[in-house]
């Protein structure tokens, strides 16, 4: 849309204004946005810089890592191989790749991996010590698994007879004219990329607006997130998804199979979202979207395609995934604004960037526990007062807040609720009871406390894991419970079926020196 259609001018102005607002509100160093209509109009809008320190502009050639959006491309390759009769989506993965360390007798099919219903953990290595494990039979629950898509990448290489990067180039990028895109993120191409940024302090929970520093470079060639692209290239891919939704030949698949590829979905654990073949299926206000996000050490990305209008939007920012930001509000608003403009309807109002806090009046009060006391004061935002110092609370989600207050910086503050009434709070190893609430705080467990500590993995994808004992239970930080399910075996996560596992090893004076968390080794580094 170098020469924007007159009927789209106001929509593009509104989208650009919201992009600037998103950049400023979330303190993004750089952001690129691509927009495409079903009749082929395309435009890209850039905000900030490719390198914020050098103030280098973003250009049409600047590469951004798209993260887990890569999964739909990997899924497309797998479906192409199936369409060619080289595998079946109903094949057992262990029959196709017998050397992958899946549990004996498992019934995991190729489609189970594509849909995240195989029962695998989220981020375990493909070959952990002792082999992989599953928490439930395929299809019983939905659990997002990068491990599953790494296996799919290996499967595509095995059946396709080429490295995954070459399969992506030959089967996805070249047919769509995505000439700048890369199927492997390697250091030799680093000069082509925007510079990503991460929180300067990796040991505390992320707070919006905290100082950033350049993120480290890590090569990625696995199917969970190995693609880098530009906003312009990604518009060709979004057009292919739109064409597939309309039943046209797309993604190397004939029309009927292309439509099946983008329409197949199973229920997920997220209300209002189904998932299939690397695609999230979401609906709102009478509209249906194909959607996905991606998070990397240097980038956070999102796309939306309106399956009815054919409008698509892709965005990627140079902010680290662990800042818990994705530009999903921007891509959704961009699609809605262009869809309305094309049909002559009024533009939608931009969404609120501040996450809504329900029952805000229920939080203020005084809280007391063995570690001390604090007060929550009303306002927008809420404020915490402790030890004569006050600081604003930053709402995260579901009763969870973070703050720059020096006494409460190291963990998320999580409030406990009974109905709409707040009864207490938890913070790392500490529990608090709200003033006026009857009852006693749970007793600590000295034996479990010996397992608590700060465990470090030098892989930048993992960093430190802080295990605390609180109220007679073990937790990873404030939010993630650990439940004993066997001799030195713990289930990690709120769900009773969570596949995440933990164990401890190498004890000195009763304190473990090693934590194995979902197959990754962490070493005790107490300070």
């Amino acid at each position: 849309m170098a020469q924007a259609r007159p009927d789209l001018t106001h929509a593009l102005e509104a989208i650009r204004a919201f992009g600037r607002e998103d950049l400023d509100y979330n303190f993004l160093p750089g952001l690129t946005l691509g927009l495409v209509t079903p009749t082929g109009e395309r435009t890209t809008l850039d905000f900030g810089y490719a390198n914020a320190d050098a103030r280098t502009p973003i250009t049409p050639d600047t590469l951004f890592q798209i993260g887990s959006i890569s999964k739909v491309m990997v899924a497309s390759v797998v479906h192409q191989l199936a369409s060619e009769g080289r595998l079946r989506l109903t094949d057992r993965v262990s029959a196709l790749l017998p050397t992958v360390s899946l549990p004996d007798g498992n019934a995991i099919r190729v489609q189970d991996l594509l849909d995240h219903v195989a029962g695998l953990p989220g981020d375990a290595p493909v070959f952990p010590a002792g082999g992989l494990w599953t928490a439930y039979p395929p299809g019983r629950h939905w659990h997002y698994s990068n491990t599953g898509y790494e296996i799919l990448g290996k499967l595509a290489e095995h059946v396709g007879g080429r490295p995954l990067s070459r399969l992506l180039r030959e089967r996805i990028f070249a047919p769509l004219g995505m000439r700048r895109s890369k199927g492997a993120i390697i250091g030799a191409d680093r000069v082509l990329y925007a510079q990503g940024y991460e929180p300067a302090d990796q040991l505390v929970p992320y707070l919006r607006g905290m100082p950033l520093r350049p993120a480290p470079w890590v090569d990625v060639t696995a199917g969970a997130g190995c693609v880098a692209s530009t906003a312009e290239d990604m518009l060709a891919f979004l057009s292919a998804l739109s064409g597939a939704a309309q039943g046209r030949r797309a993604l190397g698949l004939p029309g009927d199979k292309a439509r099946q590829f983008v329409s197949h979905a199973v229920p997920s654990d997220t209300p209002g979202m189904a998932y299939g073949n690397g695609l999230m299926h979401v609906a709102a206000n009478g509209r249906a979207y194909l959607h996905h996000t991606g998070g990397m050490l240097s980038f956070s990305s999102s796309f939306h395609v309106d399956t009815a209008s054919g409008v698509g939007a892709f965005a990627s920012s140079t902010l680290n995934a662990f800042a818990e930001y994705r530009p999903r509000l921007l891509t959704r608003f961009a699609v809605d604004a262009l869809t309305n403009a094309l049909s002559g309807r009024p533009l939608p109002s931009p969404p609120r960037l501040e996450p809504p806090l329900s029952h805000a009046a229920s939080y203020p009060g005084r809280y007391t526990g063995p570690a001390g006391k604090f007060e929550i004061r009303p306002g927008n935002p809420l404020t915490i007062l402790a030890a004569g110092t006050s600081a604003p609370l930053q709402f995260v989600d579901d009763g969870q807040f973070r703050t720059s207050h020096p006494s409460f910086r190291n963990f998320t503050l999580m409030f406990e609720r009974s109905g709409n009434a707040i009864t207490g709070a938890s913070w790392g190893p500490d529990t608090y009871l709200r003033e006026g609430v009857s009852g006693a705080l749970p007793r600590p467990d000295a034996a479990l406390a010996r397992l608590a500590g700060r465990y470090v993995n030098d892989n930048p994808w993992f960093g430190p894991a802080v295990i605390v004992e609180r109220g007679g239970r073990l937790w990873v930080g404030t939010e993630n419970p650990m439940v004993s399910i066997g001799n030195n075996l713990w289930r990690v996560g709120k769900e009773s079926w969570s596949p995440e596992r933990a164990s401890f090893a190498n004890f000195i004076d009763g304190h473990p020196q090693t934590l194995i968390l979902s197959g990754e080794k962490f070493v005790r580094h107490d300070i």
Side-chain angles (χ1 to χ4, degrees), residues 131-186:
L132 284 166
W133 63 95
T134 56
Y136 47 82
R140 182 74 57 84
H141 299 286
W142 187 90
H143 187 76
Y144 193 90
S145 178
N146 287 315
T147 304
Y149 266 81
E150 290 201 21
I151 295 172
L152 286 168
K154 298 299 182 186
L155 175 62
E157 292 181 332
H158 173 68
V159 176
R162 291 173 170 80
L164 182 59
S165 62
R166 184 173 170 185
L167 292 172
L168 290 166
R169 182 175 70 249
E170 294 174 351
R171 291 174 170 268
I172 304 295
F173 304 151
L176 292 176
M178 299 171 66
R179 62 181 182 83
R180 301 180 181 91
S181 298
K182 306 287 184 181
I185 298 166
I186 57 174

Side-chain angles (χ1 to χ4, degrees), residues 150-445:
E150 290 201 21
I151 295 172
L152 286 168
K154 298 299 182 186
L155 175 62
E157 292 181 332
H158 173 68
V159 176
R162 291 173 170 80
L164 182 59
S165 62
R166 184 173 170 185
L167 292 172
L168 290 166
R169 182 175 70 249
E170 294 174 351
R171 291 174 170 268
I172 304 295
F173 304 151
L176 292 176
M178 299 171 66
R179 62 181 182 83
R180 301 180 181 91
S181 298
K182 306 287 184 181
I185 298 166
I186 57 174
D189 296 327
R190 188 174 183 179
V191 68
L192 304 175
Y193 285 77
Q195 172 62 57
Y197 292 82
E198 67 178 7
D201 187 348
Q202 295 285 293
L203 303 181
V204 297
Y206 178 76
L207 276 175
R208 184 172 47 81
M210 69 185 294
L212 303 175
R213 67 184 180 193
W217 178 270
V218 174
D219 282 12
V220 182
T221 59
C226 59
V227 173
S229 190
T230 66
E232 185 175 344
D233 269 15
M234 285 301 296
L235 297 183
F237 186 71
L238 299 191
S239 292
L241 288 177
S242 175
Q246 302 302 317
R248 298 192 294 272
R249 179 175 180 84
L251 304 172
L253 299 170
D256 59 337
K257 292 186 176 180
R259 187 196 294 271
Q260 291 170 13
F261 175 79
V262 299
S263 61
H264 167 79
V266 300
S268 79
D269 63 341
T270 302
M273 190 268 279
Y275 196 100
N277 297 325
L279 288 166
M280 300 175 182
H281 295 250
V282 296
N285 300 323
R287 289 178 175 169
Y289 309 87
L290 300 175
H291 170 55
H292 214 287
T293 65
M296 301 292 280
L297 293 176
S298 300
F299 299 88
S300 296
S301 307
S302 171
F303 80 81
H304 278 84
V305 172
D306 186 312
T307 57
S309 74
V311 173
F314 165 82
S316 187
S317 75
T318 55
L319 183 63
N320 170 286
F322 300 113
E324 299 169 9
Y325 163 82
R326 304 289 188 277
R328 58 171 65 91
L329 293 178
L330 175 58
T331 54
R332 162 81 183 278
F333 174 69
V335 164
D336 287 349
L338 282 178
T339 295
N340 282 20
L342 287 169
S343 61
R345 284 174 285 179
L347 299 184
S349 299
R352 286 182 52 188
L353 289 168
E354 183 81 31
L357 173 60
S358 59
H359 307 292
S362 64
Y363 292 95
R366 294 183 175 87
Y367 298 77
T368 304
K373 58 184 179 180
F374 66 87
E375 180 182 354
I376 301 298
R377 292 184 170 177
N380 186 16
L382 298 172
T383 299
I384 184 170
L385 174 64
T389 300
S390 64
L393 292 179
Q394 196 170 108
F395 176 58
V396 181
D397 184 39
D398 192 24
Q400 299 174 22
F401 297 81
R402 294 170 184 168
T403 180
S404 60
H405 193 290
S407 300
F408 291 88
R409 184 69 186 95
N410 290 346
F411 296 98
T412 296
L413 181 63
M414 181 171 68
F415 290 87
E416 314 294 341
R417 185 183 293 276
S418 177
N420 290 333
I422 302 294
T423 58
S426 301
W427 180 86
D430 301 329
T431 54
Y432 299 84
L433 196 65
R434 186 177 185 177
E435 185 179 85
V437 174
S438 60
L441 294 172
R443 298 170 64 91
D445 185 318

Side-chain angles (χ1 to χ4, degrees), residues 444-495:
D445 185 318
L448 290 181
R450 299 173 75 85
L451 304 177
R454 178 176 174 267
Y455 299 86
V456 172
N457 181 310
D458 289 335
N459 185 331
W461 284 103
F462 298 103
V466 182
I467 308 299
V468 303
E469 184 280 333
R470 186 178 75 243
R473 301 177 65 184
L474 286 182
W475 302 75
V476 183
T478 298
E479 312 96 309
N480 295 306
M482 298 175 62
V483 177
S484 176
I485 57 173
N487 182 26
N488 189 29
L489 183 63
W490 304 80
R491 182 181 69 237
V492 181
K494 298 175 183 177
E495 302 89 356

